[in-house]
Amino acid sequence: VLTGTVKSLSRGPPQEPGWAVLSVLGAFKAAAALGLPQPAKGSSLRLQLPCRLCPSLKKGSSYVLMGRLGADGAALLPPDAFVVPYRPQQQQVLGNLSKRPCRGSP
């Protein structure tokens, strides 16, 4: 789970995936669970967009995103990814969720 503002979008040709570059506002839970370094606030993150039309992102807008890692280790935002507009009030809720231990089995 991460929050970020879309800096640029590249949809590319129909047969190739597109890309979104985000300015990271915050990263929660998954980064540590996956053994990934915690991205610094304000750093850029490039997300692969396999579908040209979805999820619908707008340059300059901020979102809460839940994607996954592709087979090559790249950040992937598939069409069924959780993407909602970000509101600053969500920061505290996301921070609290990231502190909870996982109760599922790996």
Side-chain angles (χ1 to χ4, degrees):
V1 176
L2 66 93
T3 56
T5 302
V6 178
K7 290 172 44 175
S8 65
L9 289 168
S10 168
R11 295 294 180 177
Q15 65 276 17
E16 294 182 21
W19 296 92
V21 177
L22 300 176
S23 176
V24 175
L25 298 172
F28 308 90
K29 196 89 165 175
L34 294 171
L36 299 173
Q38 189 77 0
K41 184 177 181 176
S43 64
S44 292
L45 178 65
R46 188 174 178 197
L47 298 170
Q48 183 179 3
L49 305 171
C51 176
R52 293 177 49 80
L53 302 175
C54 51
S56 178
L57 300 174
K58 182 179 171 186
K59 184 178 175 181
S61 295
S62 298
Y63 299 94
V64 175
L65 308 135
M66 283 195 291
R68 60 182 136 178
L69 292 178
D72 60 356
L76 182 67
L77 199 60
D80 61 348
F82 179 81
V83 178
V84 295
Y86 170 73
R87 305 282 183 256
Q89 300 90 328
Q90 297 165 326
Q91 190 70 25
Q92 183 177 2
V93 172
L94 291 168
N96 290 339
L97 287 174
S98 70
K99 295 175 188 173
R100 289 186 184 173
C102 178
R103 295 191 179 126
S105 55

